[in-house]
């Protein structure tokens, strides 16, 4: 069971470590301090990596049945303390308590999926006799763990995105060092506690707290690190990719996801999907809806219903069961969003609803008449702001949807299978949802983007594929 003391320590190779140098973890709702956590130094990071070097050997020797058992026990722990985990997410992050509970349930699913996938890390026999002169050779390859994985995670899903790295790493017999977002380290520390309780051998897992810009380079450039699994913004991801050197990279980055509503769409469905897809987690969601392309014939009907629903959205305290949307992660972020919206308005955009800020809170906001080249239409807003565009047909929508440097997921609402297949073939994304918004994911599907949205795929089985390497064994008879 978590103690408040453990919340103040970091988890280094199986030990809970306190430091004199600390950083505050605040509730963005009112800036109150929840607790403090250690602010690790470069020396702490080097010591953590040294421990993981031993941990990699221990993890690789762990029999698969032990990995399965540990992952399931960690999942049991999260299940047992479901409400504590949800409260932690809803305290340090932006999510409402209802959203936080959903994330905890998904974390349990991610850990159980990791336990299941652990038994499916197979190899294959190799038909060496495919080459003349090699008839007397037999052999196979098997997949071995790559060693130490550096996992760097963002603030917006502070638990499940950490589970998406720890679960597959343990399943595939690797050691892992997690550097959670500085603003939301508590959920990751709680998850470390679940693995500690589950009996994970020492040195296999560390959750080190501190500033990414101060200790990040030491982690990602270290030669003992064989893979950097990063989830976060494009700018940080690109800078890490440049520095990392000869390592595997998994880059789960941002987006400004499009949704297309064609003239034959079920407009009510499209509105429902787009509202929750745009404003869930205060729009701080990598696959959140940012740009909606609506056919001329249904534009007015869609827009009226969309605005009507948004105006009923309840913005308020995160732990109030009635609240639909809480504050952004910080007042600074809310100010940035406010500035981007103002800039768009100054350039001629029309504000249909929202646009007001109160501290870290920002109203659900809808803009129209935004030029496709405006910053707000090209970059990732990562806040509760949606832009509506009129389109005359599918190809117009596809051209505009593809015109940005992102491509994580997209949604299209249509009853016409031919239009759906046209979109499947033409949209530059890692996932396309037909008759749903871009904001759809289950933890067992491949998830990731193209262009500036990233490199590689997560979704337990797919992460595991990145975390192992084949070793060939050949017998000459
Ligand atoms: P961020 O890029 O600011 O930070 C992400 C992590 O990187 C944090 O842990 C941070 O401390 C660390 N970091 C910062 N500088 C570093 C450095 N120099 N070296 C190493 N680590 C460093 O992102 P954020 O604001 O926390 O999260 C929001 C972003 O994450 C958005 O762009 C969002 O779309 C993206 N995201 C993507 C996915 C996905 O699966 N594709 C999921 C969630 C969030």
């Amino acid at each position: 069971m978590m103690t408040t003391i453990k919340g103040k320590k970091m988890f280094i190779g199986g030990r809970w470590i306190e430091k004199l140098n600390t950083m505050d973890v605040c509730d963005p709702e009112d800036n109150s301090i929840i607790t403090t956590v250690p602010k690790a130094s470069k020396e702490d990071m080097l010591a953590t990596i040294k421990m993981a070097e031993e941990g990699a050997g221990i993890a690789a020797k762990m029999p698969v049945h032990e990995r399965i058992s540990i992952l399931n026990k960690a999942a049991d722990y999260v299940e047992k303390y479901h409400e504590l985990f949800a409260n932690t997410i809803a305290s340090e992050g932006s999510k409402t308590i209802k959203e936080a509970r959903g994330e905890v349930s998904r974390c349990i699913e991610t850990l159980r999926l990791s336990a299941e996938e652990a038994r499916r890390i197979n190899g294959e026999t190799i038909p060496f006799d495919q080459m003349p002169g090699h008839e007397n050779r037999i052999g196979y390859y098997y997949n071995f763990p790559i060693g130490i994985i550096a996992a760097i995670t963002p603030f917006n899903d502070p638990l499940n995105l950490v589970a998406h790295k720890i679960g597959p790493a343990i399943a595939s017999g690797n050691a892992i060092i997690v550097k959670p977002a500085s603003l939301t380290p508590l959920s990751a520390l709680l998850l470390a506690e679940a693995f500690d309780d589950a009996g994970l051998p020492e040195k296999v897992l560390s959750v080190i707290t501190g500033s990414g810009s101060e200790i990040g380079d030491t982690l990602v450039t270290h030669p003992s690190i064989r893979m950097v699994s990063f989830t976060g913004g494009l700018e940080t991801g690109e800078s890490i990719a440049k520095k990392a050197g000869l390592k595997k990279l998994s880059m789960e980055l941002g987006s400004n996801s499009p949704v297309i509503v064609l003239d034959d769409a079920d407009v009510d469905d499209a509105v429902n999907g787009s509202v929750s897809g745009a404003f869930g987690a205060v729009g701080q969601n990598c696959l959140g809806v940012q740009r909606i392309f609506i056919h001329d014939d249904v534009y007015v009907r869609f827009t009226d219903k969309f605005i009507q629903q948004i105006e009923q959205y309840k913005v308020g305290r995160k732990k109030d069961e009635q609240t639909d949307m809480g504050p952004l992660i910080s007042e600074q972020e809310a100010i940035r969003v406010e500035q981007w919206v103002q800039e768009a308005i100054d350039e001629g955009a029309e504000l249909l609803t929202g646009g007001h800020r109160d501290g870290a809170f920002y109203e659900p906001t809808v803009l129209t008449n935004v030029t496709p080249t405006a910053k707000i239409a090209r970059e990732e807003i990562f806040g509760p702001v949606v832009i509506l565009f009129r389109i005359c047909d599918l190809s117009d929508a596809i051209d505009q949807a593809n015109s940005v440097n992102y491509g994580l997921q997209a949604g299209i609402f249509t009853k016409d299978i031919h239009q759906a297949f046209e979109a499947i073939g033409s949209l530059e994304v890692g996932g396309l949802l037909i008759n749903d918004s871009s904001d759809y994911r289950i933890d067992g599907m491949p998830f990731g983007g193209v262009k500036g949205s990233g490199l590689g795929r997560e979704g337990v089985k797919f992460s595991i594929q990145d975390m192992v390497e084949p070793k060939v064994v050949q017998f000459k008879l």
Side-chain angles (χ1 to χ4, degrees):
M1 168 76 191
M2 189 215 184
T3 62
T4 40
I5 259 303
K6 274 192 180 169
K8 290 178 184 168
K9 296 178 179 178
M10 56 185 179
F11 187 71
I12 304 297
R15 306 241 164 93
W16 292 94
I17 307 286
E18 231 164 345
K19 293 269 301 172
L20 281 178
N21 204 6
T22 59
M23 53 189 201
D24 296 339
V25 183
C26 297
D27 183 334
E29 195 161 282
D30 54 10
N31 254 333
S32 59
I33 297 174
I34 305 166
T35 186
T36 59
V37 293
K39 191 165 194 248
S41 62
K42 286 179 186 164
E43 290 68 37
D44 295 323
M45 183 58 91
L46 286 171
T48 304
I49 296 170
K50 198 152 189 52
M51 229 175 263
E53 285 166 357
E54 275 182 66
I58 297 166
K61 287 201 186 89
M62 235 197 308
V64 170
H65 67 82
E66 258 181 48
R67 300 182 205 167
I68 293 172
S69 164
I70 287 166
L71 285 160
N72 277 325
K73 280 185 189 157
D76 292 344
Y77 187 93
V78 180
E79 205 155 27
K80 184 170 170 193
Y81 297 112
H82 200 289
E83 198 60 12
L84 171 68
F85 275 82
N87 260 296
T88 304
I89 294 171
S91 297
E92 64 176 350
S94 272
K95 287 188 175 174
T96 64
I97 188 70
K98 286 185 289 187
E99 291 173 329
R101 287 187 192 120
E103 185 176 343
V104 179
S105 298
R106 282 190 51 193
C107 169
I108 297 163
E109 171 80 357
T110 302
L111 297 177
R112 295 222 189 280
L113 262 174
S114 302
E116 283 173 34
E117 289 299 336
R119 54 178 108 238
R120 289 194 273 270
I121 304 173
N122 300 321
E124 280 184 339
T125 54
I126 303 169
F128 285 98
D129 60 356
Q130 64 194 278
M131 282 288 289
H134 296 254
E135 294 80 2
N136 62 339
R137 289 165 197 269
I138 59 163
Y140 59 92
Y141 74 84
Y142 68 96
N143 283 303
F144 70 95
I146 59 170
I148 311 174
I149 292 154
I152 301 173
T153 53
F155 72 82
N156 61 319
D157 285 309
L159 180 69
N160 192 36
L161 291 179
V162 177
H164 263 287
K165 304 198 188 292
I166 301 181
I170 304 293
S172 53
N174 287 289
I176 177 163
I177 299 171
V178 180
K179 210 303 284 166
S182 329
L183 296 173
T184 56
L186 302 179
S187 307
L189 289 169
L190 255 189
L191 190 57
E193 193 169 303
F195 280 96
D196 192 17
D197 186 78
L200 183 70
E202 286 191 355
K203 301 183 176 158
V204 173
L205 168 67
S206 291
V207 176
I208 182 164
T209 51
S211 151
S213 54
E214 284 172 28
I215 55 174
D217 281 5
T218 311
L219 179 63
V220 303
T221 58
H222 198 284
S224 293
I225 304 294
R226 297 291 297 147
M227 174 181 182
V228 179
S229 175
F230 174 78
T231 304
L234 170 59
E235 213 178 304
T236 322
E238 275 190 326
S239 122
I240 289 174
K242 279 184 193 140
K243 290 175 198 160
L246 205 59
K247 294 178 172 60
K248 280 196 176 184
L249 291 179
S250 162
M251 289 280 155
E252 297 287 331
L253 310 177
S255 196
N256 48 18
S257 299
V259 162
I260 299 170
V261 183
L262 293 183
D263 52 350
D264 64 346
D266 180 324
V267 170
D268 287 338
D269 241 21
V271 167
N272 291 337
S274 301
V275 169
S276 64
F279 303 111
V282 203
Q284 299 162 119
N285 194 353
C286 56
L287 39 67
V289 177
Q290 183 172 329
R291 301 174 295 145
I292 310 183
F293 299 97
I294 310 145
H295 193 280
D296 272 330
D297 292 356
V298 288
Y299 184 86
V300 173
R301 197 146 54 95
F302 177 93
T303 305
D304 288 350
K305 288 187 178 202
F306 190 60
I307 303 292
Q308 207 180 352
Q309 265 206 34
I310 292 167
E311 288 178 347
Q312 286 162 14
Y313 226 59
K314 195 166 175 292
V315 180
R317 297 186 76 82
K318 291 177 287 179
K319 294 197 182 154
D320 181 338
E321 298 284 343
Q322 308 311 316
T323 297
D324 295 312
M325 201 177 96
L328 279 108
I329 192 63
S330 64
E331 183 167 2
Q332 198 186 336
E333 271 298 283
I335 291 170
R336 179 191 58 77
V337 169
E338 183 181 42
Q339 283 169 348
W340 284 34
V341 170
Q342 192 53 52
E343 207 176 294
I345 293 170
D346 292 344
E347 287 171 9
E350 187 188 340
L351 181 70
L352 294 184
T353 187
H356 295 112
R357 183 181 66 80
D358 177 7
F361 288 89
Y362 193 76
E363 283 177 338
T365 296
V366 181
L367 292 170
T368 185
N369 286 338
V370 174
T371 52
T373 50
K375 178 165 93 181
I376 205 163
R378 284 182 292 111
E379 306 299 330
E380 180 185 38
I381 181 82
F382 220 56
V385 181
V386 168
I387 312 166
L388 306 185
F389 295 97
R390 276 178 184 269
I391 45 141
C392 54
D393 58 21
L394 178 60
S395 92
D396 182 14
I398 289 172
D399 287 348
Q400 292 195 53
N402 285 346
S403 69
V404 295
N405 181 34
Y406 286 112
L408 190 53
Q409 295 207 142
I412 179 166
F413 288 87
T414 179
K415 295 193 185 85
D416 183 340
I417 193 145
H418 301 287
Q419 305 260 50
F421 271 101
E422 177 60 32
I424 293 166
S426 307
L427 282 169
E428 297 163 356
V429 286
L432 179 58
L433 293 310
I434 316 289
N435 290 321
D436 213 332
S437 89
S438 56
D439 180 27
Y440 175 86
R441 181 182 186 187
I442 59 166
D443 297 288
M445 72 183 222
F447 181 71
V450 299
K451 304 197 282 192
S453 290
L455 200 62
R457 296 290 181 271
E458 286 200 332
V460 181
K461 171 180 165 186
F462 307 92
S463 304
I464 288 175
Q465 284 170 3
D466 275 346
M467 293 178 176
V468 294
E469 274 175 334
K471 183 177 275 187
V472 173
V473 180
Q474 181 267 135
F475 295 83
K476 187 177 169 202
L477 301 176

